[in-house]
Amino acid sequence: MSGVLLWAWALTLPGLVLTGLGVGRRPGSASLAGPGVLLVVAVTWLLGSRTAAELRQVDWLPFLPDGAFHLRGDALAAVMLAVLGFVSLCVYVYSLAYMADEPPAGQRRFFMYLDFFVASMAILVLAGNLAVLLIGWAGVGLASFLLISFWLDRPGTLGAGLQALAANAVGDAALLVAIVLVPAGCGDLLTLQTPACLAVPGGARLTASLLLVAAAAKSAQGPLYFWLPSAMAGPTPISALIHAATMVAAGVYLLVRTNALLAAAPPVAVATAALGVATALGGGLASLQQANFKRGLAYSTVSQLGYMFAGVGFGAPFAAIFHLVTHASFKALLFLSAGVVIHARDGEEELAALGGLRRALPGAYAAFLVGSLALVGLPGLSGALSKDAILDAGEQANLLLAVCLFGGTFLTGLYIGRLFFGVFHGPRPDEQPIHHPSPLLLWPLVPLAVGAVVAGYLEWPAGLLSSALGETAGHAEPVRFASPFGFFAGLLGVFGFALSGWRGREQAAEPVRVGTDAGWVGAVARRGYGLADRLAAIHSGRLGRYALASVFGIAIILLIGLRA
Amino acid sequence: MLVLGTSAALLALGSGGVLLRRNPVAMLMSVELMLNAGNLLFVLAARVRGVVDGQAAALIVLVVAAAEAVVGLGLALALFRDRSRVDVDDPAEVRG
Amino acid sequence: MSELFLPLAVGCAVALVSGLAVVLARRPVHSVVGLLVHSLAIASLFLLLAADLVAIGQVLIYSGAIVVLFLFVIALLPAGGAEGPIGSGRALSAVLAAGALLAALAAGLSASLPAATGRSVGGVEAIGRSLFGPLVVPFELTAPLLLVAIVGAVAIWRRQEQAP
């Protein structure tokens, strides 16, 4: 079984070819098998012997310090593959209905891109060293671009895709430099045999910082957040699969894989935690200001990824993975039910035009409610348990940051409540016709909703997930919930959620404006915009400037690299 | 030593040319200079170390240079098509 | 290697001077002539360094194909591809950047000069073994690279034709 796990990335390729050739009654139905088999393989491995497998094809890229084609199937990879298979299976089924209005060629293209994405993501997860990881890393970036810009004829999609490419390029470059800097034998960086790797020239700190930059670009953290909200220009199933559940979590996965390096560089670990907390709070605030349904959800993703970064930075990589698993389930659920709403209203995404859809779309209503409550952390649901794990770790590692995160749960409640009550409650703003969703759109919500409720019990109270992961995600202690910290965080979130409902639908749909009198929040935002304008001025589009900057950059890298 | 210095000087010269020139064709020629500098270093390394891999790598670089010239010249021609003077500093021209 | 010193020095000098001509010539045609001389000089350096096959490839591909391609393009260009004036700030920054690169290279390369082994290597067979042995992946990758380049060049040209 373990051998099959190693080759799991190839499982979607037959589907890709068959879909491309136009096999199947519906375009794309031939692709369905890929993620299903992927899920079965990963779960069977997890339930079975759990023997790690490795594949090492030695002289593959001889010019890199660690250029072997090295795949490694272990528990962490299997858990990630199971999440990938589960969410992508739901999204594939959902897309069959969601994309049904496209011409058949467009649908085939869509599913081929999806297959390519799943294969790349599986390579990323199964990579045994950074060089192989980069293949998947670049592949998912490319798939993300192709799918964001899928509707090329709509305004703004190409720009959004290019933004994603640009942010990804930052991450790819950082990862590339890290690969070259890491000395030979350190492919084992990914397998946590790091002692040899800590003799990196410049120390663990430099490599860890580079990996942090790469991860932040992939996971839309800190200043590199900008592309993720724009990425919502793509079809909604893509937002659910790539830009909520799996690809954006790849940065978290990278940091978890290399957490021993992070542990060896405490300043970088603190920076990771601080970055995560700042992004968690900033994303929450930004979500409150969105007038667009999907962008509001996108900032929620940014914010939740911040929680995961904080978890890694607190030295609790297991808590981050746990939150990754639960978040994949409930955020995909939120996006897919948002997609039902958008589909029923012919692509209407503005909050001001949505409202009162509770009676018309009961399925989406229930699904979105379950997803929201899991997100805010209603005690007992999945989000509460995993967020609690992160907060517990933070309480031990860095109380100040943990308290900030604790406050962030209130924001979570506020913004998701604003979206929920704004869309489903209150009066209908207009009498536009509503298409009733086909069952194929609603059925995928069921397993995701079940996941959003019960995913937390994979870990608590029996500790199944942590015992399965063993040492692959750092030292994973079963989550115990020693302190009532997380419980109160959940209550605070629910309070925020209820507060949004009480504010009523009219105010809820209104974006919280950053006006001149909005106090320090507005001041910070204006500063940020000013800084962004100045930064944007660097990108003048003048080729000469770019070339000049690169030559100086290369000279500096050469000086550092060749002298060392 | 002599060839090593020549290679480094050629690389710097080529990069200077890329930065200096505003004509895309001339920039491409400067890039070719840089590729030649790299090739020279490959062959020199093969000679000095007594292994043949450097020469094989130089051949691959030649192929890459050919591909680069084809695409680059195609772009330059497309840019030149409807204007008589092309300046890579015109920001509007590099928009997608 | 002492008897090779004089030819090597001459080859290097020619390569550098013609490279300078490529960069500095005002008219693109002169630059192309400079490139031709330069590539021949490099080919002669390859010969002196006992890399016969690479030298032949250099003459065939560079002097034969690439330089001719450049010539064709320049012949097609309106006004011979005249260029706007180059400001002094641009020249200064270019010289500075090139100087910085040279300094960095000198600092890096001077530290590690391996002694030459007397053994000379080469020959088509050895290169073939290398290309299909340790370097097989990059070698095979050149095939799709060329294909993509050809398709890309055609596509760039075609799109321009549709929307003049």
Side-chain angles (χ1 to χ4, degrees):
Chain A
M1 205 62 220
S2 45
V4 183
L5 186 72
L6 276 184
W7 293 97
W9 56 273
L11 288 175
T12 60
L13 298 182
L16 196 159
V17 174
L18 289 179
T19 303
L21 293 174
V23 177
R25 197 164 46 83
R26 278 178 112 126
S29 52
S31 293
L32 276 180
V37 179
L38 188 65
L39 178 63
V40 170
V41 166
V43 170
T44 318
W45 189 88
L46 280 172
L47 294 178
S49 58
R50 295 208 285 257
T51 43
E54 284 201 54
L55 171 95
R56 202 189 279 267
Q57 186 79 37
V58 179
D59 50 0
W60 189 60
L61 296 173
F63 45 88
L64 279 181
D66 242 312
F69 188 77
H70 183 186
L71 293 176
R72 184 182 174 83
D74 59 6
L76 181 55
V79 167
M80 293 291 292
L81 284 179
V83 171
L84 176 67
F86 175 62
V87 178
S88 57
L89 185 60
C90 294
V91 167
Y92 270 66
V93 175
Y94 182 90
S95 304
L96 281 180
Y98 195 88
M99 304 304 284
D101 301 336
E102 293 288 311
Q107 290 184 47
R108 278 202 294 277
R109 192 162 58 95
F110 181 84
F111 278 99
M112 287 168 74
Y113 290 167
L114 266 184
D115 286 334
F116 175 66
F117 166 77
V118 174
S120 308
M121 188 73 199
I123 288 187
L124 194 163
V125 168
L126 287 166
N129 61 20
L130 287 174
V132 178
L133 189 129
L134 184 65
I135 299 173
W137 191 264
V140 292
L142 176 64
S144 161
F145 163 72
L146 289 172
L147 285 163
I148 293 171
S149 306
F150 181 74
W151 288 315
L152 261 182
D153 47 343
R154 300 195 183 177
T157 50
L158 183 60
L162 289 177
Q163 278 188 20
L165 265 194
N168 269 315
V170 175
D172 293 353
L175 192 56
L176 202 58
V177 177
I179 289 172
V180 176
L181 280 185
V182 168
C186 256
D188 297 336
L189 200 59
L190 283 175
T191 52
L192 301 181
Q193 292 155 3
T194 39
C197 310
L198 297 182
V200 178
R205 210 174 284 178
L206 180 62
T207 317
S209 312
L210 285 168
L211 292 179
L212 175 60
V213 172
K218 201 55 129 193
S219 296
Q221 294 295 295
L224 290 168
Y225 79 92
F226 60 89
W227 65 273
L228 187 55
S230 309
M232 297 299 126
T236 307
I238 298 312
S239 310
L241 175 61
I242 301 187
H243 304 116
T246 52
M247 185 194 91
V248 289
V252 179
Y253 169 78
L254 175 66
L255 288 184
V256 169
R257 270 290 187 200
T258 57
N259 68 74
L261 192 65
L262 216 54
V268 185
V270 174
T272 310
L275 183 72
V277 171
T279 314
L281 296 180
L285 281 176
S287 173
L288 284 173
Q289 296 168 17
Q290 301 306 312
N292 178 301
F293 192 15
K294 278 175 73 184
R295 288 178 71 95
L297 283 177
Y299 276 108
S300 160
T301 306
V302 171
S303 164
Q304 294 302 309
L305 289 167
Y307 277 87
M308 298 174 208
F309 267 59
V312 181
F314 290 150
F318 169 70
I321 283 291
F322 185 28
H323 195 52
L324 191 160
V325 172
T326 60
H327 175 260
S329 169
F330 62 70
K331 190 50 69 64
L333 175 66
L334 285 173
F335 266 110
L336 290 188
S337 43
V340 172
V341 171
I342 293 166
H343 196 256
R345 288 295 313 275
D346 278 329
E348 181 62 62
E349 294 179 9
E350 295 306 309
L351 283 173
L354 297 170
L357 294 170
R358 180 178 33 152
R359 294 230 159 65
L361 299 168
Y365 174 73
F368 201 87
L369 181 62
V370 170
S372 306
L373 289 176
L375 171 65
V376 300
L378 180 72
L381 297 190
S382 64
L385 297 170
S386 56
K387 218 181 272 185
D388 197 350
I390 291 178
L391 286 172
D392 271 359
E395 194 192 356
Q396 283 159 23
N398 191 327
L399 194 58
L400 177 69
L401 289 175
V403 169
C404 293
L405 263 194
F406 179 74
T409 56
F410 179 63
L411 277 177
T412 311
L414 272 186
Y415 68 69
I416 199 66
R418 175 177 156 259
L419 295 176
F420 173 75
F421 291 108
V423 169
F424 290 104
H425 280 265
R428 297 268 303 272
D430 47 28
E431 287 305 316
Q432 295 284 327
I434 290 175
H435 314 296
H436 284 280
S438 73
L440 210 51
L441 271 185
L442 292 177
W443 276 113
L445 301 182
V446 175
L448 284 172
V450 172
V453 173
V454 305
Y457 298 101
L458 286 178
E459 172 59 22
W460 185 79
L464 292 178
L465 191 61
S466 53
S467 69
L469 283 175
E471 295 290 317
T472 53
H475 181 59
E477 285 184 21
V479 177
R480 283 189 315 271
F481 306 115
S483 74
F485 206 38
F487 182 73
F488 286 121
L491 288 188
L492 191 61
V494 175
F495 172 63
F497 188 72
L499 196 66
S500 286
W502 174 72
R503 280 177 71 223
R505 194 243 147 216
E506 288 77 13
Q507 288 126 328
E510 192 81 4
V512 181
R513 299 242 175 259
V514 182
T516 45
D517 54 351
W520 64 273
V521 178
V524 170
R526 277 196 306 281
R527 288 276 157 70
Y529 283 128
L531 186 66
D533 280 344
R534 244 168 287 153
L535 280 179
I538 298 175
H539 291 273
S540 56
R542 294 163 76 97
L543 196 55
R545 296 268 178 86
Y546 294 161
L548 189 65
S550 358
V551 170
F552 272 116
I554 291 168
I556 291 169
I557 291 174
L558 274 178
L559 264 184
I560 296 173
L562 291 181
R563 298 301 282 179
Chain B
M1 183 68 207
L2 183 69
V3 182
L4 194 66
T6 308
S7 170
L10 274 179
L11 189 79
L13 188 64
S15 73
V18 171
L19 296 173
L20 185 69
R21 302 305 294 262
R22 301 172 69 167
N23 183 331
V25 179
M27 285 175 81
L28 275 177
M29 283 192 254
S30 304
V31 173
E32 302 288 345
L33 286 190
M34 294 168 76
L35 284 170
N36 266 336
N39 250 351
L40 197 52
L41 202 56
F42 265 129
V43 171
L44 177 69
R47 175 76 181 83
V48 167
R49 297 184 175 236
V51 285
V52 81
D53 288 3
Q55 294 191 16
L59 281 177
I60 292 175
V61 173
L62 276 183
V63 176
V64 174
E68 172 257 339
V70 168
V71 174
L73 287 175
L75 271 175
L77 268 184
L79 280 178
F80 265 114
R81 233 183 140 111
D82 48 2
R83 28 187 119 63
S84 60
R85 163 177 290 195
V86 161
D87 188 347
V88 287
D89 276 357
D90 255 349
E93 283 170 9
V94 287
R95 294 253 157 92
Chain C
M1 202 145 154
S2 55
E3 74 275 18
L4 277 180
F5 184 80
L6 192 63
L8 271 179
V10 171
C12 287
V14 173
L16 276 177
V17 169
S18 56
L20 210 58
V22 171
V23 171
L24 294 180
R26 292 294 301 156
R27 291 188 56 201
V29 181
H30 296 169
S31 286
V32 174
V33 175
L35 190 63
L36 180 62
V37 176
H38 173 79
S39 76
L40 289 175
I42 294 280
S44 66
L45 284 181
F46 287 165
L47 269 183
L48 290 173
L49 290 172
D52 305 356
L53 186 64
V54 186
I56 294 170
Q58 173 86 8
V59 171
L60 281 180
I61 298 181
Y62 255 97
S63 318
I66 297 183
V67 170
V68 172
L69 196 60
F70 270 104
L71 266 180
F72 265 124
V73 169
I74 285 171
L76 278 174
L77 292 183
E83 189 178 15
I86 291 170
S88 60
R90 193 185 180 84
L92 185 67
S93 61
V95 170
L96 270 183
L101 195 59
L102 189 58
L105 280 173
L109 293 180
S110 63
S112 56
L113 261 185
T117 57
R119 202 155 51 93
S120 83
V121 291
V124 179
E125 189 190 336
I127 293 180
R129 287 197 187 286
S130 169
L131 275 182
F132 288 97
L135 288 174
V136 67
V137 175
F139 179 67
E140 290 297 333
L141 282 179
T142 56
L145 176 78
L146 280 176
L147 182 66
V148 168
I150 294 168
V151 173
V154 172
I156 290 165
W157 189 247
R158 284 281 303 278
R159 177 175 308 169
Q160 211 61 17
E161 271 180 353
Q162 280 158 10

